[in-house]
Amino acid sequence: MKTITSIKNAKNSEKLVMITAYDALFASLFDEKVDIILVGDSLNNSFNGRKDTLSADLDMMIYHTKAVLMGAKNTFVVTDMPFASYTDEKIALKNASQIYRQTDAQAVKIEGGKERAHIVKTLTNNSIAVVGHIGLMPQFARSEGGFKIKGKDSEDIQKLIDDARAIEDAGAFCIVVEGVKEEAGKAVSEAVKIPTIGIGAGKHMDGQVLVWSDMLGFFEEFKPKFVKRYLNGADLVKKAVEQYTKDVKSGKFPNDEFIY
Ligand code: KIV
């Protein structure tokens, strides 16, 4: 099982693999198969059916983290701090402490660059391990008018580098970099000593993260360009359930094999 030290040491020696999980069943399937499980607030989209992550709250994150930890006994687990749960240092410390006290999550993740570095510092100064998240930040999508790819010009790349360095200096032990041009992902990864974990950030990152329901093909509504589907989950499930319905309606199930 990874630790904060081994995650940091992975930089330049081993690619890190992160996947999201929201419940015990899937977390148990992912346990020990990946380096890090993220209880992402993306659960609000793929689990809860909402358009964005903003209505995920602390109670939901704690509930799902507890469930994930029941399944993922041997994997490093990170929990997202939900929208508006870290608006200042005091609120952030109160809410992150609640996550630490009520779950065994090993770290929390916070969206934001330079402007949130003081929050990261407060948490790390109080023994709460922090993963940063820069680039396209889903919690900012509503105020920014949509999901905008970042790092499109040299000024924007420099901003990302400054953000990553500020988060690193504040004590984060790794950074998720989402939705940036590959060149920007490379520049950020080269600019910091802590590992960068990319999602839609290209191949030069120190690791990759995907949302489980995207990569296993369960979420059909929309497929971002960066998602590789490793399974056609939705097709398989729908076909299986249609078959079950046919079998029950026709009297084929249960046959002698399935009765006491
Ligand atoms: O909430 C989430 O799943 C995330 C990933 C997209 C990195 O933050």
Side-chain angles (χ1 to χ4, degrees):
M1 175 160 158
K2 284 274 184 274
T3 60
I4 288 170
T5 306
S6 64
I7 290 170
K8 279 168 135 179
N9 289 343
K11 179 106 185 170
N12 300 323
S13 65
E14 176 201 353
K15 293 272 188 188
L16 291 165
V17 182
M18 182 192 262
I19 191 171
T20 65
Y22 315 129
D23 64 86
L25 177 61
F26 275 88
S28 71
L29 300 178
F30 307 152
D31 195 24
E32 295 188 73
K33 307 260 181 310
V34 294
D35 297 311
I36 305 169
I37 290 181
L38 171 67
V39 187
D41 59 356
S42 56
L43 63 85
N44 211 44
N45 305 79
S46 56
F47 192 90
N48 216 19
R50 302 297 180 91
K51 272 205 292 292
D52 59 32
T53 58
L54 304 201
S55 54
D57 64 23
L58 198 67
D59 289 344
M60 283 165 68
M61 297 313 299
I62 288 174
Y63 173 88
H64 285 279
T65 301
K66 282 181 179 168
V68 164
L69 284 155
M70 292 300 288
K73 304 271 187 219
N74 295 303
T75 305
F76 191 96
V77 172
V78 178
T79 298
D80 259 344
M81 296 278 290
F83 177 69
S85 69
Y86 49 103
T87 43
D88 67 26
E89 286 116 313
K90 206 169 153 204
I91 292 174
L93 185 56
K94 178 178 169 287
N95 289 328
S97 303
Q98 196 175 329
I99 292 176
Y100 253 30
R101 271 202 309 267
Q102 293 186 9
T103 78
D104 288 328
Q106 277 101 343
V108 298
K109 178 166 78 58
I110 280 184
E111 293 182 13
K114 236 175 160 175
E115 78 289 355
R116 292 269 163 82
H118 63 294
I119 306 273
V120 175
K121 190 144 194 61
T122 298
L123 299 189
T124 55
N125 279 347
N126 283 280
S127 310
I128 296 173
V130 177
V131 176
H133 184 152
I134 62 168
L136 187 162
M137 294 174 283
Q139 291 179 13
F140 290 56
R142 213 183 282 176
S143 66
E144 288 184 353
F147 295 91
K148 312 261 191 228
I149 300 303
K150 301 287 163 64
K152 287 186 171 170
D153 57 34
S154 55
E155 200 183 322
D156 206 20
I157 293 176
Q158 189 55 52
K159 186 188 172 314
L160 288 167
I161 291 174
D162 294 345
D163 282 342
R165 285 190 175 142
I167 295 299
E168 176 180 36
D169 290 346
F173 67 96
C174 75
I175 310 179
V176 168
V177 183
E178 178 166 359
V180 302
K181 299 289 279 184
E182 187 170 67
E183 185 196 349
K186 184 170 188 278
V188 168
S189 298
E190 287 171 358
V192 291
K193 291 193 189 69
I194 54 174
T196 55
I197 302 189
I199 172 159
K203 61 179 168 297
H204 303 289
M205 313 306 292
D206 302 309
Q208 298 290 329
V209 53
L210 285 174
V211 169
W212 79 268
S213 41
D214 289 337
M215 65 155 298
L216 297 181
F218 283 99
F219 191 70
E220 289 185 296
E221 245 166 67
F222 170 64
K223 188 186 98 56
K225 185 165 189 272
F226 61 81
V227 171
K228 178 170 176 182
R229 280 194 177 148
Y230 285 84
L231 186 78
N232 285 322
D235 278 353
L236 292 171
V237 168
K238 282 191 282 190
K239 280 191 187 119
V241 174
E242 276 163 18
Q243 189 59 51
Y244 166 59
T245 297
K246 268 190 203 152
D247 286 358
V248 173
K249 300 264 184 207
S250 66
K252 211 169 160 190
F253 174 82
N255 61 15
D256 289 351
E257 193 187 341
F258 302 104
I259 53 173
Y260 292 109

